[in-house]
Amino acid sequence: MPTPDFVLSLRERIGHDPLWLPGVTAVVFNAEGQVLLGRRADNGRWTLITGMLDPGEEPGPGALREVEEETGVRAEIVHLIHVGSHGPVTFPNEDVCSFLNVAFSCRYVEGTARVNDDESTDVGWYGLDALPTLSERHRMLIDLALTADGVPAFQR
């Protein structure tokens, strides 16, 4: 899904000025212990599956929606693993955003991982010993997902 309509409407009013937005991240593992990753179309970086919540959307269902929209994979939430802020991020179009991000560890349910929208150029399952270059934040979220016990991490 491209930039949500509510963000486009805000951008018409404020241009590229910073926005504070709700985001979600899904750390999805399959039965083989591989993690689902996507290569972003806007900057070419490999990432966990992320997205923005729609107005009024709950974080859990929103994260699962993003996984299916971007990869064709259906997943289920296992644990809430992290709540924190991320940004500011300057996108290639010069929009600036910071995110209140809610991250979940998830389990694969069904579907074939594929590029399922225009946000990614590649999607796939990766073994933990063969990960492409990821941000420090995404590596931290994978580590949290691997040790999740139902108590989310957050800055105290």
Side-chain angles (χ1 to χ4, degrees), residues 48-147:
L48 296 167
I49 308 306
T50 65
M52 281 186 275
L53 294 174
D54 293 329
E57 185 175 29
E58 290 286 335
L64 298 178
R65 173 187 54 76
E66 288 289 344
V67 170
E68 189 165 5
E69 283 180 359
E70 293 183 19
T71 71
V73 166
R74 283 198 14 188
E76 63 185 3
I77 291 174
V78 178
H79 289 293
L80 169 64
I81 59 170
H82 186 262
V83 177
S85 63
H86 173 62
V89 176
T90 301
F91 290 91
N93 68 356
E94 299 183 18
D95 286 352
V96 178
C97 297
S98 291
F99 298 91
L100 173 61
N101 191 267
V102 181
F104 299 92
S105 66
C106 301
R107 178 178 22 247
Y108 168 84
V109 173
E110 65 182 3
T112 302
R114 65 183 184 278
V115 174
N116 204 41
D117 65 12
D118 62 356
E119 292 185 43
S120 302
T121 60
D122 199 1
V123 167
W125 295 101
Y126 287 85
L128 299 177
D129 59 348
L131 294 172
T133 301
L134 295 171
S135 72
E136 183 178 321
R137 182 176 160 279
H138 282 206
R139 289 229 177 228
M140 178 263 304
L141 291 174
I142 290 170
D143 290 343
L144 286 174
L146 289 169
T147 60

